Structure formats: structure tokens, C-alpha cells
Amino acid sequence: MNPRVAANTAVETVRLWAKAARATKIIVAITGAHNFRSLVLPSYKMNRKGVRKPVALSYTKQVLRDTFQTVLVDGLEADDLMGMMATSPNSNGKKVIVTVDKDLRGVPGLFLNPTKDDGIEWISEADANRFWVSQALTGDTSDG
């Protein structure tokens, strides 16, 4: 895919998803390098080793950084950052996690999967814990 087309698609997707979440502010979380989980468990996501990343990925990330407020922390994945922002003491339950990543159902607060859900869902702390424990017990083949 042409890098400009990919980047424009990503920007428009963020805007559409923000509209679906009724967002007044957009913060895009971007995965940093050197995932800390690989230090804890070297086999983490080894099933993805050798899989080529999309050619337009770096360019698209840069366009997102130029277009929106972003957060990127070396060692952390975007889902880690979204979970931390959504549960920080100053979030006041007003931050909506917007993602297609089901793992974020393990974070209490407002959640929207714009490709599956009918709207914003409130995930209670009990429901988040239940989801997290279920994932811990069954594992996740996508993470290896």
C-alpha cells in the first residue's frame, strides 16, 4: 500500500473512531520499541518473529504524531499506555479507550470497539478483573 494512502486512512480512522466515542480530545497511543514483556518472557510474541511489518508503518506513525497529540513510551505497547491513561487518578472516568484490541476489556472504565460494539460500554472493576483472570488462565495464541 502507498504510504500516503495508509497514513491518510489511519488519520481518517482515528477521526471516525473519535466521533463514535464522542471525544472532545484525541490522544493516540503508539507502541514504543523494546517491549518489556520480552525481558520477562523471551518467547513473548515469538510467533510473530520473521513476520514483516507493513512498509508504511513508520511513515504512518509519524503522520499520526504530526496530526494528533500522541503518547509513546519505549518499552510499552499502546494498550499499556491506554490502560494507564484510562485508570489514572485524573481521568475521572471520562477517558474512553477506543480500540479493536479485546485485551483492553481487562481495564475498568469506558470502552469502545468501533468495529464490533454498538456504543460506549462501561466496564466495571469486577468485569475487568474477571476478563483479565480468564485471559491469564486460558492464554492468548496471538501473543504466543
Side-chain angles (χ1 to χ4, degrees):
M1 177 180 272
N2 177 310
R4 283 195 175 102
V5 172
N8 288 339
T9 301
V11 167
E12 287 310 308
T13 299
V14 169
R15 289 186 174 134
L16 282 170
W17 290 7
K19 185 177 180 181
R22 298 187 299 271
T24 57
K25 181 177 181 179
I26 298 169
I27 302 173
V28 176
I30 298 175
T31 295
H34 311 107
N35 190 319
F36 82 92
R37 288 178 183 83
S38 297
L39 298 173
V40 177
L41 182 66
S43 63
Y44 180 69
K45 292 190 178 181
M46 286 299 284
N47 60 327
R48 299 181 189 180
K49 194 158 184 83
V51 175
R52 211 172 110 197
K53 295 207 184 257
V55 175
L57 184 60
S58 293
Y59 179 76
T60 299
K61 285 182 179 182
Q62 188 57 55
V63 170
L64 289 170
R65 292 175 82 179
D66 293 343
T67 307
F68 302 105
Q69 179 180 347
T70 59
V71 59
L72 183 153
V73 176
D74 187 35
L76 296 179
E77 294 180 352
D79 57 351
D80 299 319
L81 297 168
M82 288 187 282
M84 287 188 273
M85 287 188 291
T87 59
S88 72
N90 66 353
S91 75
N92 299 322
K94 294 181 180 177
K95 292 189 172 107
V96 180
I97 293 174
V98 181
T99 182
V100 297
D101 186 342
K102 70 179 180 343
D103 292 341
L104 273 296
R105 289 186 174 280
V107 176
L110 298 171
F111 177 86
L112 173 65
N113 177 340
T115 64
K116 291 187 178 180
D117 298 335
D118 292 328
I120 299 169
E121 175 184 357
W122 173 255
I123 297 178
S124 69
E125 190 168 347
D127 288 340
N129 288 338
R130 190 175 304 108
F131 181 87
W132 181 84
V133 169
S134 173
Q135 288 291 100
L137 290 172
T138 60
D140 189 338
T141 56
S142 67
D143 292 338

